[in-house]
Amino acid sequence: MATVAELMAANLFEVFNERDDERRAKAIAATYAADVTFADPEGIATGHEELNAKARGLLAQSPGFVFSAAGPVLVNHDLGHLAWALGPEGEPPVVRGIDVALVADGVIKKLYTMLLPA
């Protein structure tokens, strides 16, 4: 069973940083509950298919951009927190944010993304 820290890393790198649809779908199945809820400033996505569509859309609108961790994963029991940055590889980020996840039964049940002011 994956740890909270491993799930947070998978969320950022294997899902939201993955441009290959098949690899991303496989990572989603292993990382999130089937009824996962993902909330960001743009809205709420529920379930694997909606989460995959959200990640696909984000990557499509930011070609050449990559996510990077902007600090360590912080864990408090079933809660994970990871700060991140998004921008062209090797360049300063254009967006920064944090992900907060609630983990149950070895998968992410709820995921919240908050954007940080520029």
Side-chain angles (χ1 to χ4, degrees):
M1 187 177 302
T3 67
V4 173
E6 290 168 339
L7 291 168
M8 295 302 293
N11 169 69
L12 187 63
F13 299 113
E14 296 174 26
V15 175
F16 282 90
N17 220 29
E18 179 56 65
R19 293 184 182 275
D20 180 271
D21 283 336
E22 190 174 313
R23 284 195 300 260
R24 187 176 53 255
K26 199 177 225 182
I28 286 171
T31 306
Y32 309 94
D35 62 346
V36 64
T37 301
F38 169 77
D40 70 1
E42 295 178 351
I44 296 175
T46 304
H48 288 176
E49 287 186 29
E50 287 185 18
L51 182 68
N52 197 0
K54 179 68 178 180
R56 184 183 307 113
L58 177 65
L59 291 166
Q61 70 185 23
S62 51
F65 283 23
V66 294
F67 281 97
S68 59
V73 175
L74 305 177
V75 177
N76 184 347
H77 301 279
D78 60 352
L79 196 65
H81 170 283
L82 179 59
W84 50 263
L86 175 66
E89 193 164 4
E91 307 259 338
V94 296
V95 179
R96 293 181 184 274
I98 59 171
D99 289 337
V100 177
L102 179 64
V103 173
D105 300 320
V107 289
I108 295 174
K109 188 83 170 135
K110 294 184 181 279
L111 177 65
Y112 301 91
T113 293
M114 292 164 268
L115 302 179
L116 300 175

